[in-house]
Amino acid sequence: MTTIALPTYEDAVARYEPVIGLETHVELGTQTKMFCGCRTEFGAEPNTQVCPVCLGLPGALPVANRAGIEATIRIGLALNCGIAEWCRMARKNYFYPDMPKNFQTSQYDEPLCTEGYVDVEVGGKKYRIGIERVHLEEDTGKSLHVGGATGRIQGATESLVDYNRAGIPLVEIVTKPVPGLGELAPEVARAYVTELRDIIRSLGVSDVRMEQGSLRCDVNTSLNKSGAEWGTRTETKNVNSLRSVERAVRSEIIRQAAVLDGGGRIIQETRHFHEDRGETSPGRSKEEATDYRYFPEPDLVPIAPDPAWVAELKAALPEKPSVKRARLREDWGISELDMQSVANAGAVELIEETIAAGASPAGARKWWMGELARRANETGVELSAVGPTPAQVAELQKLVDEGKLNDKLARAVLEGVVAGEGDPAAVMAARGLEVVNDEGALTAAVDEAIAANPDIAAKIRDGKVAAAGALVGAVMKTTRGQADAKTVRELILARLS
Ligand SMILES: [Zn+2]
């Protein structure tokens, strides 16, 4: 393999136009699996939630789970799709160890929901992402490769399979290709997955946690010269966080531009995104639909949702996240652009809960969009996984409002909370971080600073008030930053006037 010099992202999007598409899998949070009565609890002992149906034993017959169909229809409705009045499940035939039936029960040419859209906003502009289809299928089991250094199949001594996940209902949401985004393609891709996650979470049909795999995303990317036909697309798998969605599109744009610049050809293939390196590597070459020899599933009756039932489900949809955001934006008194940043950072619910726990909107937003967003970025985790709970952030802000912590001390307390040392008040006490408000101690520190800096003190006595800063600094130093700078300044001026 030859190494090609990579262009910068700016160069790549100046020369080529990206077209993206997203395929998202959502694991539904039903109590039981899609075609049998097995439980679906996450993290159970391997192979304890299985039965003849989901193990694909001879003679076992599936029965569809009504809750799975209902959840899929509700997702379709929330994504503005039309709902099929009659459709069938299909067999997607392929062999893989984590799929004991040797076929996946899925949908092919008769998806349950079609022709919808999702609106997202990036940089103050609205983008409509077309939804081609929303269909229902079942999840596969999980392979575990052990004995090697990396947990990958290469170098492993044994492979184990856990079928607990096999047969859990899975909804696949496929967008239409999205051209015309230019350099914003990575950000729009992320905004779309964020919006999709929020919509599905609002329906209560899945916990949509990317880190646990209940929301999984494949990103299609192609490049073309301006005005030319669309290029060959690659499909990037293993994109496990919102941040990675953006990074995966960006890195694939850069890689493809380098190949095209060198006169090369893009191969239609699946690629794997590597979180650590921020790059993709080639996987298998992409199968065609014909390779799967789809045919209608003969063991299941067709799905024919009663239009009256669908109308009922539609009428009972919850408040849309976009409508909710508009309402919260009013309540919080922030600009549309600021609300967009909050939404794209995945911070809406976190801030909402922090306010519910007693913080002011400005206080709640300051922590989540400032210090905590910075930490999330640095450590490469979702904001909700940084550590502090909304209640803890509210408590921290309360300590600041009460004058017990200044900004610098509050950040130190937050560090303790992130490190798992307990709630803010406990961390403050254990680390001895409270602001010194004891007037006696402060006066002593002020007097000490004046005595140690007679020249500066003389200047202030002569009316050069600006010189007080140096004495404030000296007091802050002796109190290890635990004094309130404003109070110290007032004390110094009172002493020297
Ligand atoms: Zn089962």
Side-chain angles (χ1 to χ4, degrees):
M1 204 173 162
T2 51
T3 318
I4 322 169
L6 294 176
T8 65
Y9 178 71
E10 287 70 27
D11 279 351
V13 289
R15 285 198 296 279
Y16 299 100
E17 291 180 357
V19 179
I20 58 167
L22 293 114
E23 290 173 25
T24 313
H25 283 96
V26 175
E27 208 174 73
L28 295 180
T30 50
Q31 296 276 308
T32 56
K33 292 186 181 181
M34 191 56 221
F35 302 111
C36 62
C38 289
R39 307 282 304 173
T40 55
E41 214 173 293
F42 182 80
E45 274 290 297
N47 298 309
T48 54
Q49 299 178 343
V50 292
C51 74
V53 174
C54 55
L55 286 176
L57 300 187
L61 285 172
V63 176
N65 180 345
R66 181 186 165 102
I69 294 169
E70 177 175 317
T72 309
I73 292 175
R74 292 180 68 223
I75 290 173
L77 291 169
L79 301 179
N80 307 293
C81 288
I83 308 301
E85 289 186 10
W86 191 93
C87 66
R88 286 175 295 187
M89 303 302 293
R91 282 192 187 185
K92 181 179 183 179
N93 297 280
Y94 67 100
F95 172 79
Y96 210 72
D98 62 14
M99 218 188 36
K101 299 193 298 189
N102 283 345
F103 65 84
Q104 180 188 29
T105 307
S106 180
Q107 292 196 289
Y108 179 46
D109 50 353
E110 299 171 13
L112 194 45
C113 325
T114 50
E115 293 295 321
Y117 62 86
V118 172
D119 288 331
V120 298
E121 272 182 55
V122 170
K125 254 188 93 180
K126 202 176 251 186
Y127 297 90
R128 177 158 288 187
I129 312 294
I131 302 290
E132 189 175 293
R133 58 189 281 149
V134 175
H135 76 241
L136 179 58
E137 59 188 35
E138 61 180 335
D139 211 344
T140 58
K142 222 172 186 173
S143 302
L144 199 71
H145 307 293
V146 296
T150 59
R152 290 174 174 274
I153 195 162
Q154 292 85 356
T157 54
E158 290 159 272
S159 289
L160 305 168
V161 195
D162 175 8
Y163 291 115
N164 281 354
R165 203 179 66 179
I168 289 184
L170 207 56
V171 171
E172 182 171 337
I173 301 151
V174 183
T175 70
K176 296 181 177 180
V178 194
L181 298 174
E183 61 174 352
L184 286 178
E187 281 176 72
V188 174
R190 178 184 179 151
Y192 162 77
V193 180
T194 308
E195 186 69 15
L196 189 64
R197 183 195 63 175
D198 290 351
I199 290 172
I200 292 170
R201 188 189 279 146
S202 77
L203 297 172
V205 295
S206 167
D207 55 9
V208 281
R209 291 173 71 161
M210 289 188 95
E211 71 281 9
Q212 283 190 358
S214 54
L215 177 71
R216 312 201 278 270
C217 195
D218 303 336
V219 186
N220 296 329
T221 314
S222 73
L223 293 185
N224 59 268
K225 286 265 187 201
S226 176
E229 256 178 64
W230 289 355
T232 305
R233 66 189 168 88
T234 59
E235 182 180 344
T236 305
K237 302 254 184 199
N238 292 358
V239 188
N240 295 329
S241 70
L242 294 172
R243 187 166 161 267
S244 293
V245 171
E246 186 173 338
R247 290 169 78 214
V249 176
R250 182 180 281 259
S251 78
E252 193 51 17
I253 287 174
I254 294 172
R255 186 193 69 84
Q256 290 188 15
V259 173
L260 296 171
D261 282 346
R265 194 172 66 80
I266 303 300
I267 302 160
Q268 185 170 350
E269 62 186 354
T270 58
R271 298 184 65 86
H272 292 280
F273 182 67
H274 301 279
E275 201 82 39
D276 45 350
R277 313 200 304 263
E279 293 169 354
T280 66
S281 69
R284 55 191 161 78
S285 69
K286 182 80 178 139
E287 294 88 352
E288 297 293 329
T290 49
D291 294 335
Y292 291 121
R293 304 173 339 274
Y294 283 99
F295 63 85
E297 168 57 57
D299 287 342
L300 285 163
V301 293
I303 302 170
D306 181 351
W309 179 48
V310 173
E312 223 172 87
L313 293 177
K314 188 171 185 174
L317 286 179
E319 182 183 32
K320 277 189 178 166
S322 56
V323 174
K324 178 179 170 177
R325 282 199 303 273
R327 177 170 57 78
L328 291 177
R329 193 178 73 72
E330 287 274 301
D331 290 353
W332 300 353
I334 62 174
S335 73
E336 271 186 44
L337 215 59
D338 282 342
M339 193 66 200
Q340 242 179 63
S341 316
V342 168
N344 292 342
V348 177
E349 273 78 22
L350 294 167
I351 293 175
E352 193 186 12
E353 286 165 26
T354 305
I355 294 168
S360 67
R365 199 161 63 89
K366 183 186 84 181
W367 289 108
W368 289 110
M369 296 304 288
E371 186 69 11
L372 291 165
R374 192 182 60 74
R375 276 171 188 272
N377 251 328
E378 269 175 20
T379 50
V381 300
E382 297 293 311
L383 198 51
S384 58
V386 171
T389 61
Q392 287 173 326
V393 174
E395 187 187 332
L396 185 72
Q397 183 56 37
K398 186 163 168 257
L399 293 169
V400 174
D401 293 341
E402 289 170 352
K404 290 182 179 160
L405 291 175
N406 58 29
D407 259 23
K408 183 163 164 259
L409 293 171
R411 281 198 295 277
V413 168
L414 189 62
E415 205 176 279
V417 175
V418 171
E421 291 169 24
D423 288 335
V427 174
M428 183 177 80
R431 289 195 177 193
L433 291 170
E434 188 168 354
V435 166
V436 177
N437 269 329
D438 172 358
E439 192 128 336
L442 279 186
T443 309
V446 165
D447 286 344
E448 193 187 313
I450 291 173
N453 299 280
D455 302 358
I456 300 172
K459 277 187 195 167
I460 299 169
R461 280 201 191 90
D462 287 346
K464 289 180 182 144
V465 179
L471 291 186
V472 173
V475 173
M476 295 305 277
K477 204 167 172 190
T478 53
T479 57
R480 300 195 344 250
Q482 281 170 254
D484 176 46
K486 201 165 146 254
T487 312
V488 171
R489 191 183 158 84
E490 278 164 12
L491 277 175
I492 291 169
L493 293 179
R495 270 288 202 265
L496 296 176
S497 62

